[in-house]
Amino acid sequence: MTLTQFFTFSRHRRLRSTLFLRDLVRENSLSCNDLIYPLFVQEGVQSRTEVPSMPGVYQFTLDLLEEKIQELKNLGIKAILLFGIPSWKDELATSAYQSDGIVQRAIKHMKALHSDLIIITDTCICHYQTEGHCGIPINGGIDNDVSLDIHAKVAISQAEAGADILAPSSMMDGIVAYIRHALDESGYKDIPIMSYGIKYASSYYGPFRDAADNSPAFGDRRTYQMDPANCLEAFREAQSDIEEGADFLIIKPGLPYLDIIRDMRNSHHIPLVSYQVSSEYAQIKAAAQNGWINEKNTVLESMISMKRAGADLIVTYFAIDIARYLLEDNR
């Protein structure tokens, strides 16, 4: 006689007993269609510069892009998020919207190589503005409305170069409405906007400063990025961006803000994008290099957590690694 004869209970393990059963009842899955790969393009020739705090992440010159884009294509990754590192900066971020700017040239170059590649452009000015801010500094503060004018110029120049999707990331009030109007007036009504609508003033962005050379020269970004303590504010930001014409909504960072992704999924039907940011990447890399974790399993679990929370797409520096993992597992 055993204890189980005296009471009944559910046997949930029945559906976990074999690999095929687990696959059969899996609620969320990951594919290359879910991935967006961040790509950094710099001025120069025959140069591939590794980001010190992000092992395996590089800044590429234009002449080296063909090999990288072919690698993405071979792995089934269809979309990139493009960042530019210009050769010069000024107070009004002029190099951000020049027709021969680094991003504009990179778009044209990549489209000539692979016209079906989805190029999403980071539509911001922090990489190009002398003080490293996402808006124009005036009298010690960031002027919202002057910044909107500059961002509209950046948006039009990226659209003219051939960008498929624009991703305004400055968190200026009214940025989506302003860019949407500028695009429509210039004949680009069909270009979607992937808004960084919920972007927190996070300590998880540190290594990205190395990659994009955009550390603020004074102060910080807390007057325009969101307070990590706030949740209801995310609802207000999301609602504004959707009403202003956003086609996608980015939540950034990803893993520390899974609750926000779930809240947005429960409240809105717009496609959601989770951004697994630089420190999320760097922490996993560092722990794996020290032998403390299994990199593949940890990366894939972090991806599934974002999908489970409600993300449709994920921006991740691990995109190439993930694509390889998926190919290995399907063999």
Side-chain angles (χ1 to χ4, degrees):
M1 183 177 293
T2 63
L3 186 62
T4 58
Q5 291 179 288
F6 294 99
F7 60 94
T8 60
F9 53 88
S10 298
R11 293 191 178 274
H12 301 291
R13 290 179 58 193
R14 289 173 183 151
L15 300 183
R16 305 174 195 151
S17 59
T18 69
L19 172 62
F20 287 166
L21 267 175
R22 292 193 296 273
D23 286 345
L24 188 67
V25 298
R26 180 163 290 128
E27 298 172 26
N28 294 280
S29 61
L30 182 69
S31 79
C32 287
N33 292 333
D34 303 322
L35 305 175
I36 300 171
Y37 180 64
L39 185 63
F40 298 92
V41 182
Q42 64 180 352
E43 298 282 6
V45 178
Q46 288 289 311
S47 177
R48 189 183 77 152
T49 308
E50 188 171 26
V51 179
S53 52
M54 299 177 70
V57 175
Y58 295 86
Q59 302 164 335
F60 296 92
T61 51
L62 289 175
D63 52 300
L64 297 183
L65 286 179
E66 182 172 4
E67 181 179 354
K68 176 55 64 173
I69 297 305
Q70 188 61 53
E71 179 185 20
L72 296 173
K73 189 177 180 68
N74 292 343
L75 289 170
I77 298 171
K78 300 178 175 65
I80 65 163
L81 178 58
L82 181 62
F83 298 91
I85 297 93
S87 59
W88 58 278
K89 306 181 181 186
D90 63 17
E91 294 180 353
L92 294 177
T94 309
S95 60
Y97 56 85
Q98 297 296 305
S99 61
D100 61 349
I102 184 61
V103 161
Q104 289 76 8
R105 283 184 286 131
I107 295 169
K108 295 172 185 175
H109 182 61
M110 288 188 288
K111 281 296 183 180
L113 294 171
H114 295 288
S115 60
D116 56 347
L117 177 71
I118 299 173
I119 300 177
I120 307 164
T121 50
D122 181 71
T123 307
C124 195
I125 62 173
C126 56
H127 313 168
Y128 310 89
Q129 201 275 329
T130 311
E131 306 294 342
H133 273 285
C134 301
I136 301 300
I138 296 179
N139 297 324
I142 304 302
D143 191 294
N144 191 90
D145 295 359
V146 170
S147 302
L148 294 179
D149 287 329
I150 304 296
H151 282 88
K153 293 179 181 179
V154 177
I156 296 303
S157 73
Q158 293 176 346
E160 288 176 344
D164 297 289
I165 301 172
L166 303 187
S169 62
S170 69
M171 289 294 286
M172 296 294 110
D173 290 335
I175 187 71
V176 173
Y178 214 88
I179 287 179
R180 183 74 272 163
H181 177 75
L183 290 172
D184 291 351
E185 287 294 300
S186 300
Y188 298 106
K189 291 181 171 63
D190 293 330
I191 292 185
I193 292 176
M194 181 182 284
S195 173
Y196 287 72
I198 302 174
K199 183 178 181 181
Y200 284 89
S202 173
S203 58
Y204 281 78
Y205 302 149
F208 182 84
R209 308 290 183 243
D210 293 336
D213 186 27
N214 69 338
S215 295
F218 69 89
D220 53 38
R221 297 189 170 117
R222 294 180 182 274
T223 65
Y224 43 99
Q225 294 177 0
M226 291 170 52
D227 187 335
N230 292 352
C231 176
L232 295 180
E233 185 179 7
F235 287 90
R236 299 195 296 271
E237 288 282 356
Q239 190 62 40
S240 293
D241 278 14
I242 292 169
E243 291 174 354
E244 291 175 14
D247 300 283
F248 303 79
L249 191 65
I250 296 177
I251 296 94
K252 183 180 181 181
L255 199 60
Y257 294 86
L258 294 179
D259 60 320
I260 304 300
I261 297 174
R262 172 46 56 185
D263 285 343
M264 294 304 106
R265 179 76 294 148
N266 290 340
S267 304
H268 302 292
H269 301 296
I270 189 172
L272 298 181
V273 184
S274 174
Y275 197 137
Q276 186 185 49
V277 298
S278 57
S279 279
E280 295 178 68
Y281 174 88
Q283 287 174 6
I284 292 174
K285 278 290 184 183
Q289 288 176 353
N290 279 285
W292 298 335
I293 61 171
N294 179 294
E295 181 172 327
K296 174 182 176 180
N297 292 346
T298 304
V299 169
L300 292 177
E301 185 175 345
S302 70
M303 293 295 106
I304 284 296
S305 74
M306 296 177 198
K307 293 284 289 183
R308 189 182 66 244
D312 299 291
L313 302 169
I314 302 170
V315 179
T316 175
Y317 302 97
F318 282 114
I320 290 174
D321 298 302
I322 293 166
R324 290 183 178 137
Y325 298 153
L326 295 176
L327 285 173
E328 291 169 3
D329 290 346
N330 289 328
R331 284 174 185 165

